[in-house]
Amino acid sequence: MSPTSSFTAHPFLKDNLPYKPSDLQPIARVSNTVVSIGVPVSLNIKSLDELFALVRAQPGKLNWAGVTGALDFLFEGYLKGAGLDMAKVPYRNPVDAANDLAEGRVQVYEAALAIVRPQVEAGKIKLLACDQHRAGACLS
């Protein structure tokens, strides 16, 4: 078994892989991640609409954190489809991305709630979106 999101995104993001995607056969999902989109509190953004208006007003000036996987694959697809110009800052470690978000070095991060929760509770990250069907697990 392996983390599926990276293996799902890799064929679309990388030209050469050390494995054949067709050799991987899903057996069962072993986790259920609550997904969130957050911004640094210092950005003073209260909604996704406000965030995307800021991105439109400053094309190419804002950036977002991503760790290769399904979440950043979907977020980047949304940005392209909506015509929004943000630069991706790639991270290997999701906690480093959350820490940089909390300090305002990146302006957006889409991640598992468990990764950003300590910084949300510390008042440094504002959640703008959270997986709706699991809203009870999200912080207010």
Side-chain angles (χ1 to χ4, degrees), residues 11-12 30 36 38 50 55-57 60-61 64 66 68 76 93 97-98 107 115 119-122 124 137 139-140:
F12 299 100
V30 294
S36 66
E50 285 184 23
V55 174
R56 283 186 186 92
K61 293 185 180 179
W64 62 282
T68 298
E76 188 162 5
N93 182 333
Q107 287 77 48
I115 299 297
Q119 299 287 9
V120 171
E121 290 175 344
K124 294 184 175 187
L139 307 169
S140 53

Side-chain angles (χ1 to χ4, degrees), residues 71-129:
L71 296 181
D72 64 319
F73 181 67
L74 292 170
F75 190 72
E76 188 162 5
Y78 176 82
L79 292 174
K80 286 184 180 186
L84 298 171
D85 184 12
M86 293 185 81
K88 178 183 176 184
V89 179
Y91 285 84
R92 290 178 187 242
N93 182 333
V95 175
D96 291 341
N99 291 338
D100 281 353
L101 179 70
E103 296 302 320
R105 290 186 281 269
V106 293
Q107 287 77 48
V108 180
Y109 183 34
E110 81 321 305
L113 177 61
I115 299 297
V116 297
R117 186 177 187 140
Q119 299 287 9
V120 171
E121 290 175 344
K124 294 184 175 187
I125 292 175
K126 166 80 173 158
L127 292 182
L128 299 182

Side-chain angles (χ1 to χ4, degrees), residues 7-26:
F7 287 98
T8 302
H10 281 162
F12 299 100
L13 301 172
K14 310 228 181 255
D15 291 330
N16 297 310
L17 298 171
Y19 61 91
K20 291 190 322 187
S22 61
D23 287 347
L24 302 175
Q25 296 297 319

Side-chain angles (χ1 to χ4, degrees), residues 30-72:
V30 294
S31 71
N32 195 3
T33 302
V34 177
V35 178
S36 66
I37 296 175
V39 296
V41 169
S42 62
L43 199 56
N44 200 26
I45 297 289
K46 295 177 182 62
S47 69
L48 286 173
D49 287 340
E50 285 184 23
L51 172 65
F52 296 144
L54 180 63
V55 174
R56 283 186 186 92
Q58 299 180 31
K61 293 185 180 179
L62 303 174
N63 55 45
W64 62 282
V67 178
T68 298
L71 296 181
D72 64 319

